Amino acid sequence: MKVIDHINQAKGTLLSFEVLPPLKGKGIGALYKHLDPLMEFKPAFINVTYHRSEHVFKKRADGTFEKVVVRKRPGTESICAAIMNKYNVDTVPHLICGGFGVNETEDALINLHYLGIDNVLVLRGDAAKNETTFEPEPGGHKYAIDLLKQVVNLNSGIYLEEELKDTHKTKFCIGVAGYPEKHFEAPNMETDLMHLKNKVDAGADYIITQMFFDNAKYYAFVDACRAIGITVPIIPGLKPVYTKKQLTVLPKTFHIDLPTDLSNEILRCKTDEDVEQVGAEWLLMQSRDLKKNGVPVLHYYTLGRPQVVANVVKDI
Ligand code: FAD
């Protein structure tokens, strides 16, 4: 079932979770262990992130280095199918522009369609580790909107080989990313919102936000979206803080702020167990407030801490 149908048919706020594919070399059992404590909360859907290949330098026996391509977390599409099969829950694979040509994208979409997956979250992806700015593959998509248009075309039966006749139409429900604190490359919030509106006007069914720790920023973002005519559901993305190190890692990686009250409390903690407790209380406070204000879905980035998220969700 499509994410948008879940939202339209819901009587209250839904739950959803986001997981990473296991590291290459680990079995899928580790992922099931991660999901097991969360499934009792009956999430409407589960997102699975996408991780592009990276170039790394591997030392040869003679001491020289060779550049090799490694993909640390493969399998997004098949993991979605496996989760759907095991837990009977809808899944949302993330699909990115980075590292993909348009033909590979089309093949990936056809595979997802055959697997019975009705949802995709379309993203640009970040710059590869060896690049300073995002570079598309030759002939690949530059922005998420270009990838989105390819999915919209497939939903209309338009494949890359235009001469194909009597084509089958896919029926993907399409999500896109939004940034309550602005995407870090955008020159200003207005421009970023204009690009977001373009994605919605081109066919996105809903928006999921980057994580935020101050609900006021989410509410201001929703107001700003509504003011420029974005009417689709805007799902808040939430993440627990559980280590002191995240005080610097989260702003650096995701270009977001942590409120002073939260950072002060974390700084007072003696151990990471204390930080986990503070982070869980903060997440609970954010979740209750968002639910009270009628958000369509509470979407949790569970990454590495399913039990913290489970405890919070239980208490909402
Ligand atoms: P876009 O919408 O293409 O925007 C990127 C930048 O370009 C923005 O600054 C925008 O304002 C600007 N822009 C857009 N269109 C134009 C245009 N036509 N002309 C000029 N500028 C333009 N990354 C992964 O690799 N894998 C994942 O699984 C993943 N999951 C994510 C899930 C969520 C909910 C979020 C919020 C992010 C996720 N990301 C993931 C990170 C994402 O790929 C990065 O944030 C990336 O830098 C931007 O992706 P986007 O889809 O927002 O890009």
Side-chain angles (χ1 to χ4, degrees):
M1 186 166 152
K2 296 179 175 192
V3 166
I4 196 67
D5 293 337
H6 277 289
I7 293 174
N8 288 338
Q9 290 170 22
K11 300 217 163 36
T13 299
L14 300 170
L15 291 175
S16 60
F17 301 121
E18 183 163 315
V19 296
L20 273 64
L23 282 168
K24 194 186 274 182
K26 305 279 174 212
I28 198 165
L31 181 62
Y32 293 150
K33 223 167 132 189
H34 183 98
L35 277 171
D36 282 343
L38 297 168
M39 296 316 292
E40 65 169 290
F41 304 107
K42 304 204 177 338
F45 53 93
I46 291 177
N47 283 48
V48 182
T49 55
Y50 190 91
H51 301 261
R52 65 182 292 180
S53 305
E54 292 166 26
H55 292 273
V56 294
F57 289 95
K58 207 168 149 191
K59 201 170 184 182
R60 296 195 186 101
D62 64 2
T64 58
F65 286 89
E66 122 183 74
K67 197 172 170 188
V68 292
V69 177
V70 288
R71 183 130 179 253
K72 287 186 181 158
R73 295 180 184 272
T76 299
E77 299 92 332
S78 43
I79 287 166
C80 281
I83 293 174
M84 223 164 69
N85 190 38
K86 181 169 166 71
Y87 298 106
N88 193 24
V89 63
D90 286 302
T91 49
V92 184
H94 293 192
L95 206 58
I96 65 171
C97 306
F100 276 93
V102 288
N103 286 299
E104 288 162 294
T105 299
E106 185 170 276
D107 289 350
L109 287 164
I110 292 170
N111 279 333
L112 290 171
H113 179 62
Y114 290 162
L115 289 167
I117 292 166
D118 298 330
N119 298 287
V120 282
L121 184 72
V122 301
L123 302 144
R124 188 196 66 180
D126 283 319
K129 288 233 162 76
N130 56 322
E131 291 168 351
T132 46
T133 51
F134 177 83
E135 291 296 336
E137 288 297 291
H141 298 304
K142 192 168 179 197
Y143 295 108
I145 190 169
D146 306 318
L147 170 55
L148 185 143
K149 285 177 183 167
Q150 187 175 6
V151 184
V152 169
N153 274 344
L154 224 54
N155 281 349
S156 306
I158 302 168
Y159 290 68
L160 293 171
E161 286 167 53
E162 283 166 17
E163 59 277 13
L164 291 180
K165 295 271 177 310
D166 297 325
T167 50
H168 181 77
K169 294 176 182 162
T170 56
K171 48 173 185 169
F172 289 108
C173 169
I174 309 169
V176 291
Y179 301 83
E181 298 179 57
K182 189 180 87 59
H183 184 262
F184 70 103
E185 290 168 24
N188 52 60
M189 195 64 175
E190 287 68 31
T191 310
D192 204 25
L193 285 170
M194 182 192 75
H195 291 310
L196 179 58
K197 182 161 190 306
N198 290 343
K199 288 193 280 190
V200 174
D201 291 346
D205 294 290
Y206 65 95
I207 296 164
I208 300 195
T209 75
Q210 181 58 280
M211 70 187 70
F212 57 89
F213 293 90
D214 178 355
N215 287 0
K217 292 195 172 158
Y218 167 81
Y219 298 132
F221 174 70
V222 173
D223 287 348
C225 287
R226 301 305 181 223
I228 59 164
I230 296 175
T231 56
V232 297
I234 301 177
I235 300 174
L238 298 163
K239 180 181 165 71
V241 184
Y242 44 82
T243 65
K244 226 173 222 187
K245 218 171 130 191
Q246 285 175 305
L247 273 185
T248 47
V249 170
L250 293 177
K252 183 165 177 253
T253 312
F254 299 104
H255 312 278
I256 46 117
D257 282 353
L258 277 81
T260 319
D261 288 354
L262 176 60
S263 61
N264 282 347
E265 271 201 66
I266 292 173
L267 285 171
R268 277 195 291 272
C269 289
K270 292 211 164 43
T271 64
D272 276 346
E273 285 73 42
D274 298 342
V275 178
E276 186 173 304
Q277 182 63 31
V278 167
E281 282 165 17
W282 193 270
L283 186 62
L284 180 59
M285 187 261 298
Q286 277 194 283
S287 307
R288 282 181 172 155
D289 178 69
L290 289 163
K291 189 174 177 193
K292 196 178 78 194
N293 283 290
V295 298
V297 184
L298 291 166
H299 181 75
Y300 292 95
Y301 301 110
T302 64
L303 322 165
R305 281 300 191 279
Q307 202 52 57
V308 176
V309 173
N311 291 340
V312 167
V313 170
K314 196 162 65 217
D315 285 349
I316 292 173

